[in-house]
Structures are given as C-alpha cells and as structure tokens.
Amino acid sequence: MQKPADFPVTVSVLTPAYQAQAVLARAVASVQAQTCTDWEMIVVDDGSDDGTLAVARSLALAEPRLRVIHSRKGQGAAGARNTALAAAQGRYIAFLDADDAWMPDKLAQQLAQMQAQGAGLGYTGFTRIAAGQERPVRVPAQVTRAQLLRGNVICCSSAVYDRAVVGSPPMPDLEMRQDYALWLELLAQVPYATGVTAPLVRLHTTPGSLSSNKWRAMAATWAMHRHHFGTSPLRAAFYVAAHTQGRLRRG
C-alpha cells in the first residue's frame, strides 16, 4: 500500500493505557501482526501506578514504530486519546484500547474498503469476550447519523477515520460515550460510515468497568445527548431507549 501524500505514515494507532500492565502486550502484538505494515502506534500511559509504563517502554525498545507518552496526571480515555492524536503523523487515525486486539487483516480490509468508497469513517464487526465466553457481534455494512442516533454500532477499537476527509477532530471531553459523540460529530460531515461486517476486533469486557455498568452507561448516553448535543429531554429519552433496545438485540 502506497503512503498517502502529505502524511509520513499511513495509519496512526491511538492507544490509551491505564493499569494495563497485564494486557498491553497483547494489543501491541496484534498491531505488529497486521498485514498492513505502514503504521505507528502511540501508547499514552494515563498515570498508571502499576507496571504499564515499564511494559510500554520495554515493548518500544524492540519496536521502532511504537511510541510511548507518559502522562503523570490521569486525563481519562478521551484526554489520553487526544494526547496521542496531537502526536500522530498518519493519514488514518485508528483507535485500539489497551485491553482489546485486532485480527491480522483488520487494517488492510478496512482501509481498502474506505478507499474504494471514499469514506471518511469506517468500522468493523467484533467479538465480545466476557467471563470466558465469546460472542460475535453483527454490524451493518453502512450506517448514517440518523441510524447511529438510535444506537451505537461502532466499537471504538474498530474505528478509523481519514484525516484527508474529516480533518483531525479530537474526542469530546466526556467521562463516557466520548467515542459515540465523536462518531456522531463525524457523521455530521460525511453521509455515512462504512463497515466491514466480519468480526475483526476482539473486544474484552472487564466486569466492573465503566462500559459494563448498564445503568451508568444509560445515564452517560442521556447526558451526551442532553448536554453535549443539546437534545431535548423527550428526544434524548427516545434515543436512550432505542440505544438500549439495539444493544439488547446485538448482545
């Protein structure tokens, strides 16, 4: 794959890492295994007090495409991703959380499809892994903003956007749903996001995490619509209900 003009690297992979000592190497290995090899990976240690920073720096010694940024004060996931974005040199911005992993042809399939369609935002299917159980999650081949408002089908660790099409928008500074808010903002610029329906991401759900707390997630979805986008209470309630129903269907 040729490097896009005006960008030194094809893909920048942004990875926030907090207390990720046990899982970070798996995420890095899945990027190193990509059939698309023109990438850089930027890991931001978000003030961890375990061995995350040491693991990241050790991995970087053996992998010149991996860069590590240490944040002494925890910024949260959105802030850490935005710190990585500020250092990114790639045309395509890809997101990978430290506890997730990609299948080897994830980037190659996704970039080929985005380039063929001229799409500014892409995503893929994923496999949800929790308590030793694996469940592939089906995603549509395309989603518009109107459709995404009724439920987020874009897994953060599957998402890629094209800076040549949408610029370099940061993630909104929200405790939760910052990724969902960004996809909605991007879809205000482009007509649709394109999806590779195959499950090319392995999404690990940790019991007790923010994303696994359903009530807290519903409250965060409400807050995103009401306070970030200024949606009316009635419309926000409708979107939360539609989002929850869609999540239950997808599993």
Side-chain angles (χ1 to χ4, degrees):
M1 182 180 294
Q2 272 192 320
K3 293 183 183 180
D6 303 323
F7 292 92
V9 182
T10 300
V11 186
S12 292
V13 183
L14 314 187
T15 299
Y18 178 70
Q19 308 295 69
Q21 174 182 351
V23 295
L24 181 59
R26 178 180 63 200
V28 172
S30 78
V31 178
Q32 291 174 310
Q34 292 300 297
T35 56
C36 169
T37 58
D38 188 33
W39 51 262
E40 63 172 358
M41 185 175 188
I42 305 169
V43 173
V44 177
D45 170 52
D46 192 28
S48 303
D49 57 17
D50 65 353
T52 298
L53 182 59
V55 169
R57 285 174 170 168
S58 176
L59 292 167
L61 286 175
E63 175 53 79
R65 294 170 294 181
L66 174 61
R67 287 190 280 156
V68 179
I69 299 174
H70 177 42
S71 171
R72 296 185 182 279
K73 182 179 179 181
Q75 307 172 83
R81 292 183 184 117
N82 291 339
T83 294
L85 176 63
Q89 302 180 74
R91 170 174 170 174
Y92 294 91
I93 299 298
F95 300 92
L96 176 62
D97 288 347
D99 50 356
D100 297 332
W102 290 340
M103 301 303 288
D105 59 344
K106 188 264 188 190
L107 285 178
Q109 283 199 49
Q110 189 168 28
L111 296 190
Q113 181 163 301
M114 290 177 69
Q115 290 167 1
Q117 297 183 21
L121 176 63
Y123 59 96
T124 77
F126 58 96
T127 299
R128 190 184 303 279
I129 303 168
Q133 301 295 314
E134 298 189 8
R135 177 181 298 183
V137 177
R138 291 178 296 178
V139 296
Q142 191 177 97
V143 66
T144 65
R145 190 176 194 275
Q147 292 168 327
L148 202 71
L149 280 166
R150 295 170 177 262
N152 184 21
V153 299
I154 302 179
C155 161
C156 186
S157 287
S158 80
V160 171
Y161 71 70
D162 184 352
R163 297 165 101 177
V165 176
V166 299
S168 300
M171 279 201 170
D173 187 17
L174 304 172
E175 182 183 10
M176 294 179 66
R177 295 295 185 253
Q178 66 276 148
D179 54 339
Y180 188 13
L182 177 59
W183 316 149
L184 290 169
E185 289 180 358
L186 291 173
L187 284 169
Q189 296 187 53
V190 296
Y192 66 88
T194 185
V196 177
T197 58
L200 300 180
V201 175
R202 294 178 64 78
L203 177 68
H204 294 264
T205 302
T206 304
S209 67
L210 288 179
S211 60
S212 70
N213 186 317
K214 302 298 188 294
W215 291 109
R216 191 168 185 179
M218 288 171 64
T221 302
W222 164 270
M224 179 199 72
H225 286 297
R226 283 288 293 130
H227 306 306
H228 185 69
F229 290 109
T231 309
S232 71
L234 184 61
R235 179 61 62 176
F238 170 77
Y239 288 147
V240 170
H243 181 96
T244 302
Q245 184 180 41
R247 177 68 182 268
L248 290 173
R249 280 200 309 267
R250 292 189 300 273

